[in-house]
Amino acid sequence: SAKEAGRGTFRFFTMELHEKLMEKTFFEKELRQSLEKEQFLLHYQPQYDLETGRIKGIEALARWKHPDRGYIPPVKFIPVAEENGFILELGEWVLKTACAQAKAWQDEGFPSLRLSVNVSMRQFTQPNFVADVLQILHETGLHPTNLNLEITESIMSDVQQCQCILQDLKNAGISVSVDDFGTGYSSFLYLSKFPISHLKIDRAFINELSKNNTMIVKAIIDLAKNLQLNVIAEGVETEDQEDFLKKLACNEVQGFLYSKPLPQHEIERLLHSHNNNRTP
Ligand code: C2E
Ligand code: MG
Ligand code: MG
Ligand code: MG
């Protein structure tokens, strides 16, 4: 009966909730020791100039390798880490590790490589954020103009505070991209006011180039060009998607068609053998 079905549904949801809660408690406990136990590492995904086919930048992506559970994806641990504040420690570790790595690559013969690092809301709005970033750049020797920070649209909702931080970053020579563009709470006001360098079109639009998405991608690229922002398409998986983006003169592409996020030694191999690789 409907009543029974209803009760079944209710039971299903409570069990699901229970499981989620258990998982959250587990992650919270495990996250606390994860860094000192060296369970975190970074993977790196190249970002290509669509016209020249050259690797312009590399995005660092956090990976948690749990001894019992294997790889736990960022979508699972980032929200927990944001909630309990662990993201501050993790974010600092990511920045330090990625900047040191990028500096090493520069010294190995890739002087103009841009490093992109994702920054969460909680991290970005820390009072000492810009000073901390500059300290890390100083310690690692990476030049500020080689660092790019990826932030999401939601971070920009606190206009006043965000504008100051962005201005400080810009003054220091650090560029900022808007990640997952088109999916957040967005006011176009910030686009004209804020010193940002790149828009990253969310992969949801690229993934399924339906008629509507096609129009949206076209509009975002036009908007970016008119505002003199560079535009990166995320999640490019097929040649059709690439062809479409080429026609619109999208600046950069990133996605499984070119490369998945790779562990350090593999991205290094790709950097060195880049001419032999599939490029846009
Ligand atoms: P994001 O910054 O938008 O990163 C892009 C995500 O899309 C990555 O997932 C990447 O593996 C995936 N991706 C790239 N190309 C393709 C493609 O062609 N197809 C598909 N289906 N996916 C593709 P990942 O590594 O699981 O990261 C997910 C999100 O977690 C990131 O989204 C970012 O918001 C967050 N994240 C990852 N690392 C960090 C970090 O160190 N700090 C912070 N605050 N957030 C992070
Ligand atoms: Mg990103
Ligand atoms: Mg994204
Ligand atoms: Mg994302």
Side-chain angles (χ1 to χ4, degrees), residues 15 107 151 189 206-207 220 251 260:
M15 276 186 52
D107 294 346
I151 63 173
L189 206 56
I206 307 296
N207 233 305
I220 294 175
N251 303 106
K260 292 196 170 185

Side-chain angles (χ1 to χ4, degrees), residues 88 121-130 132 161 165:
L88 297 179
M121 166 95 96
R122 194 141 168 184
Q123 214 184 339
F124 190 79
T125 52
Q126 271 284 98
N128 294 326
F129 177 67
V130 179
D132 288 350
Q161 186 183 16
I165 303 169

Side-chain angles (χ1 to χ4, degrees), residues 31-244:
L31 269 174
R32 254 176 259 135
Q33 317 150 351
S34 61
L35 275 178
E36 58 196 70
K37 288 190 177 163
E38 299 185 354
Q39 293 170 357
F40 268 94
L41 66 157
L42 294 179
H43 280 184
Y44 299 93
Q45 192 178 32
Q47 302 169 324
Y48 294 84
D49 185 300
L50 190 48
E51 201 182 308
T52 65
R54 294 176 68 96
I55 295 177
K56 291 269 296 228
I58 288 188
E59 179 175 3
L61 293 155
R63 297 289 178 263
W64 183 15
K65 200 175 177 189
H66 190 272
D68 309 325
R69 295 218 177 176
Y71 279 104
I72 300 168
V75 285
K76 289 218 167 158
F77 66 77
I78 294 283
V80 181
E82 283 238 29
E83 211 179 298
N84 72 5
F86 178 73
I87 194 76
L88 297 179
E89 233 178 295
L90 178 63
E92 194 185 326
W93 178 86
V94 169
L95 258 172
K96 270 189 189 159
T97 309
C99 287
Q101 185 58 73
K103 169 67 176 153
W105 290 333
Q106 286 191 328
D107 294 346
E108 277 167 35
F110 307 98
S112 59
L113 201 61
R114 179 190 66 216
L115 168 75
S116 288
V117 177
N118 294 284
V119 173
S120 80
M121 166 95 96
R122 194 141 168 184
Q123 214 184 339
F124 190 79
T125 52
Q126 271 284 98
N128 294 326
F129 177 67
V130 179
D132 288 350
V133 175
L134 289 174
Q135 177 64 28
I136 289 170
L137 288 171
H138 181 75
E139 279 167 17
T140 57
L142 185 71
H143 198 268
T145 53
N146 292 112
L147 179 63
N148 175 268
L149 301 176
E150 297 193 1
I151 63 173
T152 53
E153 284 173 282
S154 54
I155 293 182
M156 296 196 263
S157 53
D158 185 351
V159 174
Q160 215 88 80
Q161 186 183 16
C162 184
Q163 192 162 15
C164 292
I165 303 169
L166 287 170
Q167 198 55 56
D168 288 348
L169 288 169
K170 193 191 171 161
N171 293 344
I174 300 163
S175 65
V176 172
S177 303
V178 181
D179 205 350
D180 305 339
F181 185 77
T183 61
Y185 162 82
S186 61
S187 152
F188 281 175
L189 206 56
Y190 72 73
L191 284 182
S192 67
K193 284 191 174 166
F194 288 8
I196 48 181
S197 65
H198 291 75
L199 291 187
K200 295 189 73 179
I201 307 177
D202 193 81
R203 69 177 143 90
F205 299 110
I206 307 296
N207 233 305
E208 192 218 306
L209 280 176
S210 60
K211 199 168 176 199
N212 284 344
N213 283 351
T214 304
M215 300 299 289
I216 290 168
V217 170
K218 202 168 175 308
I220 294 175
I221 293 175
D222 280 347
L223 179 71
K225 300 238 148 162
N226 287 323
L227 293 169
Q228 286 167 320
L229 301 171
N230 282 299
V231 57
I232 304 180
E234 289 193 290
V236 180
E237 294 184 356
T238 70
E239 311 230 343
D240 284 350
Q241 292 163 358
E242 178 187 278
D243 289 342
F244 170 72

